Amino acid sequence: MNDPTYVEAARHLAASALQANDGDTATRLNWLYRQVLQRAPTDREHQVLEAFVARNLAVYQQAPEEAAQLGAIGLQPAPTEVNAVELATWTCAARVILNLHETITRF
């Protein structure tokens, strides 16, 4: 799940969530869940991910250079019209959702 292509996919999903929704965390989480899982998050999932987003936002606000490093992973550059700290924060959230057992098809 740390493969550059996987990180790029999560970053693209995060950028779409940021561009499609206002600054409301709940709206963005619901949007991500609908896009990936075709359902809304449960109350517990929402609570856990909202706390996760808040923690990551605080980390990246204190260390914006780490946000820039995450944005530099892979071949496709990060979109410049999206705030790098928010993009890194939501890339992490997208990676969590993309890594759920429910999301991954196992053969």
Side-chain angles (χ1 to χ4, degrees):
M1 296 303 160
N2 290 323
D3 181 85
T5 302
Y6 185 81
V7 175
E8 282 182 295
R11 187 172 61 229
H12 180 77
L13 181 61
S16 295
L18 290 169
Q19 292 168 340
N21 299 283
D22 63 11
D24 180 62
T25 300
T27 302
R28 288 176 178 166
L29 286 174
N30 284 327
W31 187 90
L32 283 170
Y33 260 77
R34 293 250 180 239
Q35 294 301 308
V36 176
L37 298 171
Q38 300 299 300
R39 67 172 179 84
T42 65
D43 289 341
R44 179 70 179 138
E45 289 168 334
H46 191 281
Q47 180 183 36
V48 168
L49 277 172
E50 192 165 305
F52 179 79
V53 166
R55 281 191 312 273
N56 276 276
L57 182 59
V59 167
Y60 286 122
Q61 285 174 332
Q62 293 297 314
E65 66 281 357
E66 291 183 25
Q69 287 175 355
L70 184 59
I73 293 174
L75 300 175
Q76 185 69 33
T80 56
E81 65 274 3
V82 178
N83 177 282
V85 168
E86 282 200 351
L87 182 59
T89 298
W90 285 95
T91 296
C92 292
R95 289 174 73 190
V96 167
I97 295 168
L98 290 172
N99 196 35
L100 293 171
H101 284 281
E102 184 177 353
T103 306
I104 299 171
T105 302
R106 300 184 187 271
F107 293 97

